[in-house]
Amino acid sequence: MSQTVFAGFLNVRPSTVQKWESPASGKHPGGAAAKLLQLIDAKGIAALAI
């Protein structure tokens, strides 16, 4: 899945996902985004489908 599509699932900007994935940025998800990422890690992206 592209960063743009994944950003849409999380309701964040694609540049935010890019920063999370770049070790040099030092940025990490927090708050609701971090919880959603934990859910996706545990149950897969389908867990977000309504």
Side-chain angles (χ1 to χ4, degrees), residues 19-27:
K19 289 175 186 172
W20 290 341
E21 291 185 350
S22 173
S25 76
K27 301 286 183 182

Side-chain angles (χ1 to χ4, degrees), residues 29-50:
K35 289 291 185 184
L36 284 173
L37 289 171
Q38 289 174 351
L39 177 66
I40 292 166
D41 188 42
K43 298 187 179 201
I45 194 72
L48 299 184
I50 297 174

